[in-house]
Amino acid sequence: MNELKLLSLDFDGTMVGPWLNGTAAVSQELIECLHALRKAGALLAVNTGRTLPLVDQGFELFPVRPDFALTTEREMFRRTPAGWQAFSRWNERCQQDHERLFNDAAQIMADIEEHVSQERKVRVYRESGRLVGLIAQNNAEMDEVVVYLQDQCKRVANLWFQRNSIYLRFCHSVYHKGSVLQALQAELGIRAEETFAAGDNFNDLPMLDPNLARHLACPANSIEEVKQTVSSHGGYVAEMAGGDGVAEALRRACPQLESAGKRTEE
Ligand SMILES: [Mg+2]
C-alpha cells in the first residue's frame, strides 16, 4: 500500500471533541498516531472552517501543531518559524474572486440579511463590515435557512455557502475544503493515493472525495450525510467519536501504526 504523505483533517468534532460541559475531548491515541506519522514524513493539514486566529486558539488545546492550516474552508497557510505564511498564489486569487463575488452579490446579501433577521432569530456575522456568515439557534432552523439560501443563491453566479451545523459561511462556489486540498496537493506534488481525509459535517463533504483522498474516514459523531458519503466511497466510518475515531481510522489505513502503537505501549 501507499504510504500516507498528507493528512487533511477537520478540527472541531474530528481532531478534537465531542464536547462535554464546554470542554473538548482530546484523544491521546490521535496524538500518538500523528507523532508516528509525522516521524515517518507525513504532513498534517488542518482543513477547517475556522479563521487563522481561531486555528491558533484551537491548537492551544491540541499539542500537535499542523504543517498547514487550510482556513475558512478556502485559504492556505504554511507554518514557518516566523509564523503562518500564505502558501502559493492561491489566497490572492481566492481573495480577488471573493471581492468580485461580494460586490456582485451586494443587493442579495442585503436581502438575505433582512429576511433572516426579520423571519428568524438567526445572527449574522461580519468581517471588515461585510456580512460573511450566519449563525442559527439550532440545526432545524439552519435546515430551513439552507432551503431559502439554495434558492436565493441562484440570483448571482458562483454565490454559495458552506455549512457546519448551526454555522454558515458564504463563499464563491469553486472554493471549499476539497478545492483547497487539491491546490495544496498540487503545490506539494502529493497524490490522492497518498492522502487521508477525515471530517464530520456538511462543510467536509467536498474533501471526502476519493479523487482527492483515497483514504476517507469520519468519526462516529459525524452527521448522517457524511457517514453515507464516506461509506459510499468505501471509506471508514469509525466506531469511536472525535479524535479517537480518527485514530481508529488511521490505524486501519496504515497498518505500520499498529506496530508503532504496540511498541509505545511495551
Ligand atoms: Mg467539524
Side-chain angles (χ1 to χ4, degrees):
M1 72 177 280
N2 283 295
E3 295 275 319
L4 293 182
K5 291 191 178 166
L6 179 63
L7 312 175
S8 174
L9 304 183
D10 167 51
F11 189 72
D12 298 280
T14 304
M15 285 185 78
V16 303
W19 281 259
L20 192 61
N21 302 325
T23 308
V26 174
S27 164
Q28 206 49 45
E29 267 288 292
L30 179 60
I31 293 167
E32 281 177 27
C33 284
L34 294 179
H35 278 313
L37 285 167
R38 292 178 98 189
K39 217 167 158 184
L43 294 165
L44 171 60
V46 61
N47 200 339
T48 176
R50 287 179 177 236
T51 58
L52 205 48
L54 290 177
V55 167
D56 284 331
Q57 204 180 86
F59 277 90
E60 286 169 14
L61 284 177
F62 194 87
V64 185
R65 292 277 181 275
D67 302 287
F68 297 94
L70 311 181
T71 64
T72 59
E73 292 122 358
R74 60 183 187 239
E75 293 198 65
M76 195 190 303
F77 298 89
R78 173 165 49 183
R79 188 165 53 89
T80 74
W84 292 110
Q85 283 185 357
F87 188 53
S88 90
R89 303 292 298 276
W90 174 265
N91 291 2
E92 222 171 279
R93 207 168 64 229
C94 175
Q95 282 160 16
Q96 284 165 2
D97 285 344
H98 280 87
E99 198 54 42
R100 211 172 300 127
L101 172 73
F102 288 125
N103 283 336
D104 292 349
Q107 183 57 52
I108 179 182
M109 296 303 275
D111 294 349
I112 288 171
E113 179 166 2
E114 198 184 333
H115 176 86
V116 296
S117 43
Q118 277 180 3
E119 301 281 312
R120 307 166 202 283
K121 290 190 179 135
V122 174
R123 284 181 291 147
V124 301
Y125 64 95
R126 298 173 190 282
E127 283 168 12
S128 309
R130 178 184 268 166
L131 168 65
V132 293
L134 304 174
I135 306 171
Q137 297 177 102
N138 51 51
N139 277 310
E141 184 176 58
M142 189 52 97
D143 288 344
E144 289 175 15
V145 170
V146 161
V147 171
Y148 162 74
L149 290 179
Q150 281 168 337
D151 200 39
Q152 292 299 308
C153 285
K154 290 177 190 154
R155 291 167 56 192
V156 175
N158 296 316
L159 179 62
W160 198 239
F161 54 85
Q162 296 297 320
R163 175 188 180 182
N164 179 12
S165 63
I166 61 164
Y167 303 95
L168 180 145
R169 180 180 284 274
F170 291 100
C171 65
H172 188 293
S173 57
V174 308
Y175 294 92
H176 45 66
K177 287 192 181 193
S179 57
V180 70
L181 170 59
Q182 192 170 30
L184 178 65
Q185 289 171 313
E187 288 291 332
L188 298 173
I190 291 178
R191 295 172 299 138
E193 289 78 0
E194 302 163 323
T195 305
F196 174 101
D200 72 316
N201 216 288
F202 291 107
N203 59 345
D204 296 303
L205 291 169
M207 74 162 164
L208 298 171
D209 175 348
N211 294 314
L212 301 173
R214 215 47 63 81
H215 306 274
L216 297 176
C218 63
N221 52 293
S222 302
I223 59 167
E224 268 320 300
E225 288 83 345
V226 164
K227 290 181 179 174
Q228 278 167 19
T229 299
V230 167
S231 295
S232 71
H233 294 315
Y236 183 66
V237 178
E239 286 174 17
M240 288 185 276
D244 285 336
V246 178
E248 183 190 326
L250 282 169
R251 288 194 188 281
R252 268 179 73 97
C254 207
Q256 62 264 42
L257 272 177
E258 206 51 61
S259 49
K262 285 203 177 97
R263 275 201 302 278
T264 317
E265 286 159 22
E266 279 166 11

